Amino acid sequence: MTETEGKAFTVERWGRFEYRMEGPALGNPFKDVQLSGHFRHHHRVIEVNGFYDGDGQYAIRFMPDTTGEWSFETRSNAPELDSHRGVLHCSAPAEDNHGPVRVDRTYHFAYADGKPFYPVGTTSYAWIHQDEALQQLTLSSLANAPFNKIRMCIFPKHYDYNLHEPQSFAFEGSLAEGWEWERFNPVFWRHLERRLDDLLALGIEADVILFHPYDRWGFAAMSAQTDDFYLTYAIARLASFRNIWWSMANEYDLMQEKRMSDWDRYFQIVQQSDPYQHLRSIHNWHHPEIHYRSNLHWYDHGKPWVTHASIQHADLKFVTEWRTLYRKPIVVDECRYEGNLNHGWGNITAERMVECFWEGMAQGGYATHGETFVHPDDIIWWSHGGELHGESAERIAFLRSLMEEGPQLDTSAANFQWDTCAGSADESYYLVYFGSSRPAFRVLPLPAGSEYRIERIDTWRMTITPLPGVYTGSSRIELPAEPYQALRITRV
């Protein structure tokens, strides 16, 4: 029995409980000490891995998913850490705590409490590796932006416009003197955790990228043993953050040292080690184009440990077919970026960026934003964060409000023709998007026997205009012959 036995702790549902202990600091505690916590609620027992946090400190973190009383006990090969016991009371969640995001209804997402989640993402790969002032500016920008998900890396990025040295790294050591691949740097991990909490306070999901190819430090070419060691440690530290998503990699197929079997293994480590089963994905570089069905260059998103497809592709007209192929949520996490960089992927117009969001959403999928404008100090949102300069974010905010007002969309049974992106919720709600086309009128194939009201949405000007009367069956609708128009059709 320890002095902890009988002591009671309190945490809200889907909150984060942390139990800290002092233990051995000699040798290599990261490798030599095994530590876990066993949390019991009635007949359920959830085991979580503990971790060494430096300076002789060990921690176990737990995210309870059920209110009521939990008991816990530690287990360790270090006597000082073994057999600590206590009681944890899990209270009702706070009003803004809806739990982690899960897959819902095959193609969509919802929080654990059932509230629908519409991912409206952005990309800022290396924002946590910038100086503190720039990180705070990024958080300020996010607080005033429409995004509720951000793609971000654990490892720093080496690429055009990304050439500086970060202040800290996930491992002890340095590029000049070599890395201690069996020792982590707790200072770095604590900093990452502060940023995750900052995002949580803003209601933003952190789509954390575990590996990527843009590297000059050696993190993209670690040994299999180090890869597995790193994944296990990351999950022990981060899985209790309810706003975590796991992305195995950004552009995994550029990492020449890795094989498909490695990616399978990483997925399985994450799946087996994460007691909360956060969302899991992987992101491609190659564009198979016509041969996309063969998965010639793509990881097979149909594998059971993949929760949703994270796709890089510039043509979102494939969303409906990807849904059919994978039967999972489709998130086009990179469809090029709004900006004016020298690279083709970084200089699309704001109009096209907004069009990607509408095309994805109208087909029952989702898209992710990125911004890449030339900056005198090379501070570019897509990697560094900072300030948003483009015109798309405002229009994406408008779209997000429409998404959250309406139902999650699926493939439309009514045929609105090949040059539209259209989705529906049963036969009670349709959304039809014309994109850059500019028809002067359209004949809609509405179901006979039901009456509908129609609103015309100018997605660029952000206006909604109700059309007079009600409509049923084959109905001619006058349109302004301008691009970026949509129709919202609701059964009376």
Side-chain angles (χ1 to χ4, degrees):
M1 178 175 178
T2 71
E3 61 182 16
T4 308
E5 188 156 353
K7 186 174 182 179
F9 303 87
T10 301
V11 67
E12 67 180 283
R13 188 183 186 191
W14 302 305
R16 186 168 64 255
F17 167 68
E18 181 176 291
Y19 181 67
R20 298 188 75 87
M21 298 163 284
E22 290 188 4
L26 299 177
N28 183 359
F30 294 106
K31 293 288 287 188
D32 300 338
V33 177
Q34 287 81 54
L35 174 64
S36 63
H38 295 245
F39 291 80
R40 179 182 296 275
H41 177 75
H42 298 311
H43 65 283
R44 291 179 64 207
V45 178
I46 298 177
E47 180 180 359
V48 301
N49 289 329
F51 61 92
Y52 183 57
D53 197 27
D55 302 320
Q57 294 291 308
Y58 293 80
I60 291 172
R61 292 172 175 165
F62 178 60
M63 182 184 70
D65 61 1
T66 304
T67 58
E69 186 173 283
W70 294 76
S71 61
F72 69 88
E73 180 179 2
T74 67
R75 296 181 186 174
S76 177
N77 62 343
E80 311 95 299
L81 305 175
D82 191 44
S83 298
H84 289 239
R85 299 183 181 90
V87 175
L88 177 65
H89 178 74
C90 178
S91 61
E95 185 177 357
D96 61 349
N97 175 0
H98 302 285
V101 174
R102 310 293 194 202
V103 172
D104 182 56
R105 296 171 43 244
T106 307
Y107 301 107
H108 299 292
F109 300 97
Y111 292 101
D113 69 354
K115 179 181 178 180
F117 177 78
Y118 299 82
V120 177
T122 190
T123 303
S124 192
Y125 289 121
W127 78 277
I128 67 164
H129 295 282
Q130 311 310 310
D131 62 59
E132 183 64 20
L134 186 53
Q135 291 180 54
Q136 292 300 327
L137 181 58
T138 302
L139 291 167
S140 177
S141 297
L142 287 169
N144 296 291
F147 308 117
N148 58 16
K149 181 175 85 76
I150 185 168
R151 299 183 69 229
M152 53 185 281
C153 298
I154 290 181
F155 293 128
K157 183 171 185 174
H158 176 73
Y159 187 67
D160 291 358
Y161 309 100
N162 292 264
L163 303 175
H164 77 282
E165 194 76 1
Q167 293 183 345
S168 65
F169 298 87
F171 290 89
E172 293 283 7
S174 68
L175 178 60
E177 299 181 4
W179 302 106
E180 298 185 51
W181 295 118
E182 294 189 345
R183 289 182 179 272
F184 295 101
N185 177 9
V187 171
F188 166 83
W189 291 92
R190 292 174 203 146
H191 171 73
L192 169 60
E193 290 159 358
R194 285 194 296 272
R195 296 290 86 110
L196 294 176
D197 272 332
D198 290 334
L199 294 173
L200 181 61
L202 295 174
I204 297 174
E205 302 292 303
D207 197 353
V208 173
I209 296 165
L210 296 165
F211 296 97
H212 69 80
Y214 301 103
D215 171 71
R216 64 183 175 87
W217 300 274
F219 304 125
M222 298 187 298
S223 70
Q225 182 180 10
T226 302
D227 287 343
D228 297 357
F229 181 50
Y230 153 70
L231 288 174
T232 303
Y233 188 77
I235 295 163
R237 288 200 72 121
L238 305 180
S240 60
F241 288 75
R242 67 175 176 270
N243 60 327
I244 278 281
W245 298 24
W246 306 115
S247 176
M248 297 304 115
N250 181 63
E251 298 182 342
Y252 84 94
D253 41 349
L254 292 182
M255 298 184 69
Q256 301 301 319
E257 296 82 3
K258 311 301 182 188
R259 299 292 178 263
M260 197 64 75
S261 58
D262 293 316
W263 299 112
D264 288 348
R265 190 179 78 256
Y266 301 154
F267 265 111
Q268 291 172 60
I269 289 171
V270 173
Q271 183 183 42
Q272 293 164 11
S273 301
D274 179 2
Y276 317 110
Q277 297 301 292
H278 291 287
L279 296 168
R280 298 178 297 270
S281 68
I282 192 167
H283 177 262
N284 62 284
W285 178 73
H286 284 96
H287 289 196
E289 301 299 344
I290 295 172
H291 302 293
Y292 75 95
R293 291 182 186 275
S294 68
N295 292 322
L296 181 63
H297 295 296
W298 283 13
Y299 190 86
D300 180 6
H301 303 291
K303 291 182 177 180
W305 39 74
V306 181
T307 60
H308 65 284
S310 172
I311 291 173
Q312 177 178 175
H313 206 288
D315 189 350
L316 281 86
K317 292 293 182 66
F318 287 122
V319 165
T320 296
E321 296 180 57
W322 290 328
R323 279 171 46 110
T324 301
L325 179 64
Y326 296 121
R327 293 194 55 79
K328 291 178 181 178
I330 304 299
V331 185
V332 183
D333 270 319
E334 187 175 338
C335 50
R336 301 171 67 192
Y337 302 124
E338 177 192 2
N340 58 9
L341 286 192
N342 54 307
H343 299 295
W345 48 259
N347 52 32
I348 66 171
T349 64
E351 289 87 346
R352 178 56 190 154
M353 183 89 263
V354 175
E355 187 177 26
C356 288
F357 268 79
W358 274 89
E359 287 177 346
M361 181 274 297
Q363 296 177 87
Y366 304 95
T368 297
H369 160 275
E371 189 182 284
T372 47
F373 285 95
V374 171
H375 186 277
D377 297 318
D378 288 346
I379 300 173
I380 303 174
W381 179 266
W382 127 96
S383 193
H384 310 91
E387 294 181 290
L388 289 161
H389 302 283
E391 298 180 273
S392 67
E394 180 183 7
R395 276 87 184 173
I396 293 168
F398 174 68
L399 171 58
R400 178 177 169 179
S401 69
L402 296 175
M403 293 166 67
E404 293 179 344
E405 286 175 9
Q408 292 168 319
L409 298 179
D410 291 303
T411 302
S412 173
N415 181 8
F416 289 96
Q417 303 302 321
W418 63 269
D419 59 337
T420 66
C421 291
S424 70
D426 300 320
E427 293 186 353
S428 64
Y429 184 99
Y430 297 92
L431 195 69
V432 183
Y433 178 62
F434 298 103
S436 56
S437 299
R438 47 181 192 173
F441 71 92
R442 198 60 171 242
V443 177
L444 303 182
L446 300 177
S450 296
E451 294 185 333
Y452 296 88
R453 296 196 184 278
I454 300 179
E455 298 163 291
R456 180 172 61 81
I457 302 170
D458 188 313
T459 68
W460 185 254
R461 297 187 180 96
M462 298 179 288
T463 60
I464 302 175
T465 304
L467 302 186
V470 295
Y471 302 82
T472 188
S474 180
S475 301
R476 175 174 168 137
I477 305 298
E478 302 300 319
L479 293 166
E482 296 179 353
Y484 310 123
Q485 305 296 305
L487 296 175
R488 181 165 62 177
I489 306 167
T490 308
R491 188 165 59 194
V492 177

